Amino acid sequence: MKKLGFWLLLQLFVGAGLAQPLLKGTVTDPGNTPLAGASVVIKNSYQGMSTASDGTFEFKHLKPGRYLLAVSFIGFEPAEQEVDLPHSESVKIVLKPKSVFTDEVMVSATRAGDKTPVAFTNISGEDLKRRNMGQDIPYLLTLSPSFVATSDAGAGIGYTNFRIRGTDLNRINVTVNGIPLNDAESHGTFFVDQPDLASSTDNIQVQRGVGTSTNGAAAFGATINLQTLTLNPEAYAELRTAAGSFNTFRNTAAAGTGLINGQFAVDVRLSKVTSDGYIDRAASDLKSFFVSAGWYGENSVLKFNLFSGLEETYQAWNGVPSVRLHNDLEGMKRYEEHWLYTPEETARMMASNNRTYNLYTYENQVDHYQQDHFQLHFSHRFTPALNLNAALHYTPGKGYYEQYKEDQDFADYGLSYPMVEDKKIESTDLIRRKWLDNHFYGAIFSLNYNGAKTDLSLGGGWSTYDGDHFGKIIWGRYLGETAYNHEWYRGNGLKKDFNIYGKISHSLSEKVTLFTDLQYRDIDYSIDGTDDDLRNLTQQHRFHFFNPKAGVHFRPAPNSEAWLSFARASREPNRDNFVDADPAKPAPKPETLNDFEAGFQLRQSAFAAGLNLYYMHYRDQLALTGQINDVGAPIMVNVDKSYRAGIELNWGIRLLRSLRWEANSTFSSNKINNFTEYVDDWDKGGQQAFELGTTDLSFSPKMITNSQLQWQPARNLSLNLISSYVGKQYIDNTANEDRQLDAYFVNSLKAEYHIAAKFFESITLHLLVNNLFDTRYESNAWVYSYLYDGQRWKMDGYFPQAGRNFMLGLDFKF
């Protein structure tokens, strides 16, 4: 398959050299001043470029015929112009300045441009709308290169996650309008906290690898930058509703005033998504809203965003044991015999469905959390080439997850043993809630200069995170004189993060551009109080990181480009890494990534193809080795050296005027050098160490392919076949075949039909058939190994994904 992919790519490159250049032109303002860096795209093709320093552009390899050019430039009204080849070989396009300064520049400092030497993918708001049927954002990005999504509930609603190049979401930097979305302590991003945020998103950029400097958590595998709704000058109203399998319902209402009196605009959205989930009792009840109000002047923008989400999801975090998944009766009995499950839990597992089993049966075993985001943005244009962006932000969040726990020792909760009829009671069944009450606030800024040959950005941010972690007992079978809502632990995390970066992109010529990006981060992190196991957590950490990045972008011809880059990222351990660490051993060290990338891209009218090579070398990467802390909990430890190396291929082909195929493939090798595994020894106590040499990094498939076949058989009808292939993945770092996820190939069908209606601007009917061929597969898992009675055993949990399921939606636009 690899040879076939390379052969097809070679044929595309060779075929590209047979055509002749046909179309060139100039983009200027009304005063005839050339506009350098304007975007010129041939619609319904793969051709697009930026104008040179003199405002010129040139497209090669075009056949005779009619083409529609779409031209845009920040601060100017977009324009379209039709050309007829070979009669219109040279055109001049004049862009008119916008009457107001818009918020397009808000995220420009943290975005990669068309000459930035990094691998990135841009996803438009229109594409997001077409894909959005209520699933979380990770499932809307599944066509991105090297991307693998997973869902706890099995249907893409509720708790979802993803990996890029095998890197988990805790190591991926996510921002909204340049403001960090990652939790400052855990580094994680929980899209379930902001349901249906995609409905208020104008565009998304996904940078793979370290990428360019941004704000918030370090990017160890990718950067995802979301921009919420930008100015829509026309009033609108929309209603989007959908229903489908697993009692899934999604309703969204949105409206905007358009530009009022040439200066003011307000956009609002209200959403509700509910689903029973594929897994037993994995229900989700998700609510959210978005409000944006902006003032737009000739050279300034002041914009306030408020968006909020409230989620309540039933816990499906444990997965399905492999013995249940494979109907292994003796294996299920072993769970009871080895004291992994109680007799009651084992009986319920044996009586359950082998793919939808959920360990939890307590009716309120839920995760309940609300998070609000307040953002105040200000942008000012000093000159056409110089602008300033600044923002203040505040994010409060509060919630809990509730658990029913059996046979709990009173001493584990700091409680004395109660007496019942003169008999000391040492344990009880209870219900507890683990709370998180946090506040995150700060400011970001960027000063940007865009010249004919040189682009400069100076930016940075400061933030403070203040989070309280505490637990309460809300019910117990025997609690004696214990007060209701007894608090058994409380800890605090206080983290201050400052960063500043400078970027320069300079064109040595029309073909060669140099890029440099330097960032400094200062982190002050203190933890105090007690953990849920009553351990003292008091500790203080300070980090200083310098992250250089540099590269060169080369454009040998108007329709091709190449790049070469180096970037370093440094990442501090997260809260769990510090809290779980064995206090008798050295604290976990920061991780460092050196990322080398090289790429090539070719675009023609009927096709585009490209490749990107990467080598990501880690020092002191934190990984699970099986080691445990002083109370027997698993911990992540620094492994000396590890790496990810791969090639990413992408291509798009217009097979017919109405038929297009776009796809990408990743082939990679992901290794830990000199890996030592530790396994609990139940026979002798302690752990046994096994030196395994070089092993595969967990959850890092050697091959990933995503594909979309788009067919438009009629003007108002489009059909999309969406396919994903994910190679086998090991679920720990031992590269053992007994502990892996099998490879899977999943297809989905998306149909869209536009209906002409008298009283609506548009009506669109959507049909989504997920997992079209009813493939059985699991997309995530965990495992715990132990030695007992002279043999090695395991306890694990796999996350089955739903078989064939449906969603039907209807959109009304007024």
Side-chain angles (χ1 to χ4, degrees), residues 582-657:
D582 190 334
K585 297 179 181 179
K589 296 182 290 186
E591 306 166 282
T592 302
L593 166 62
N594 292 313
D595 182 20
F596 301 86
E597 308 250 350
F600 179 77
Q601 189 79 25
L602 179 68
R603 296 183 180 89
Q604 294 292 332
S605 177
F607 74 88
L611 61 86
N612 188 68
L613 303 171
Y614 64 88
Y615 177 70
M616 304 167 68
H617 183 268
Y618 300 88
R619 188 175 71 245
D620 295 325
Q621 182 174 191
L622 285 161
L624 289 169
T625 65
Q627 287 181 261
I628 58 177
N629 61 15
D630 57 323
V631 295
I635 59 174
M636 298 186 78
V637 299
N638 298 105
V639 294
D640 184 26
K641 293 180 180 179
S642 53
Y643 70 86
R644 300 182 186 277
I647 177 171
E648 296 168 324
L649 305 175
N650 65 82
W651 63 92
I653 306 172
R654 193 176 65 197
L655 302 170
L656 302 169
R657 178 174 290 273

Side-chain angles (χ1 to χ4, degrees), residues 477-519:
R477 195 172 302 280
Y478 304 108
L479 288 181
E481 297 179 359
T482 303
Y484 172 74
N485 259 353
H486 167 74
E487 183 175 291
W488 89 90
Y489 76 93
R490 178 176 286 268
N492 176 265
L494 182 63
K495 187 173 187 179
K496 297 180 180 179
D497 189 340
F498 168 78
N499 86 93
I500 189 168
Y501 59 81
K503 304 177 185 180
I504 179 170
S505 178
H506 178 70
S507 297
L508 297 179
S509 66
E510 297 297 345
K511 294 185 177 181
V512 181
T513 301
L514 300 181
F515 175 80
T516 302
D517 179 342
L518 304 176
Q519 183 197 48

Side-chain angles (χ1 to χ4, degrees), residues 138-414:
Y139 277 74
L140 306 184
L141 302 180
T142 50
L143 292 174
S144 302
S146 305
F147 195 100
V148 178
T150 183
S151 166
D152 284 8
I157 297 175
Y159 268 88
T160 56
N161 209 320
F162 63 85
R163 293 181 175 87
I164 297 178
R165 294 183 178 175
T167 301
D168 62 81
L169 189 49
N170 283 7
R171 287 175 163 88
I172 294 174
N173 174 275
V174 184
T175 60
V176 177
N177 303 323
I179 293 170
L181 189 61
N182 298 74
D183 180 82
E185 277 200 304
S186 70
H187 299 181
T189 302
F190 305 97
F191 288 104
V192 68
D193 294 342
Q194 294 302 322
D196 204 26
L197 180 60
S199 290
S200 297
T201 299
D202 183 78
N203 58 81
I204 298 176
Q205 183 177 87
V206 180
Q207 298 178 25
R208 302 186 298 283
V210 172
T212 62
S213 290
T214 183
N215 303 298
F220 252 52
T223 298
I224 296 180
N225 187 309
L226 295 86
Q227 182 171 18
T228 55
L229 296 178
T230 56
L231 174 64
N232 187 338
E234 303 297 329
Y236 68 92
E238 296 176 345
L239 177 63
R240 298 188 286 274
T241 185
S245 302
F246 319 118
N247 286 324
T248 300
F249 296 93
R250 177 258 186 145
N251 290 287
T252 299
T257 63
L259 204 56
I260 302 173
N261 296 328
Q263 289 188 314
F264 301 96
V266 177
D267 296 277
V268 297
R269 172 187 57 82
L270 188 64
S271 298
K272 181 175 174 63
V273 181
T274 59
S275 177
D276 289 346
Y278 169 65
I279 300 299
D280 295 343
R281 297 175 299 282
S284 298
D285 186 358
L286 315 175
K287 306 177 184 70
S288 68
F289 70 84
F290 176 89
V291 178
S292 179
W295 171 79
Y296 298 85
E298 184 177 353
N299 291 300
S300 299
V301 175
L302 183 64
K303 191 167 188 177
F304 173 73
N305 292 332
L306 167 60
F307 52 100
S308 175
L310 173 63
E311 62 89 7
E312 184 166 280
T313 57
Y314 195 94
Q315 295 167 27
W317 305 339
N318 206 60
V320 179
S322 57
V323 293
R324 172 63 283 187
L325 198 63
H326 300 136
N327 297 313
D328 179 0
L329 183 61
E330 292 301 316
M332 286 187 275
K333 290 179 180 179
R334 175 180 57 82
Y335 266 58
E336 178 183 340
E337 294 166 357
H338 289 193
W339 312 285
L340 302 174
Y341 277 12
T342 66
E344 293 78 14
E345 289 172 336
T346 303
R348 286 196 295 266
M349 174 170 63
M350 295 172 67
S352 68
N353 181 288
N354 71 312
R355 295 195 61 79
T356 65
Y357 166 70
N358 189 348
L359 170 66
Y360 305 120
T361 57
Y362 166 56
E363 64 180 7
N364 205 45
Q365 190 98 3
V366 299
D367 178 81
H368 180 100
Y369 191 76
Q370 179 169 337
Q371 190 177 76
D372 307 318
H373 295 257
F374 300 85
Q375 299 182 351
L376 181 63
H377 294 269
F378 175 73
S379 299
H380 180 73
R381 178 173 57 191
F382 299 101
T383 71
L386 181 65
N387 64 73
L388 170 70
N389 295 305
L392 300 173
H393 62 88
Y394 171 52
T395 303
K398 188 173 184 179
Y400 61 85
Y401 63 90
E402 188 170 313
Q403 298 173 303
Y404 178 82
K405 305 293 288 186
E406 294 182 334
D407 199 26
Q408 299 293 289
D409 193 315
F410 285 94
D412 292 339
Y413 294 85

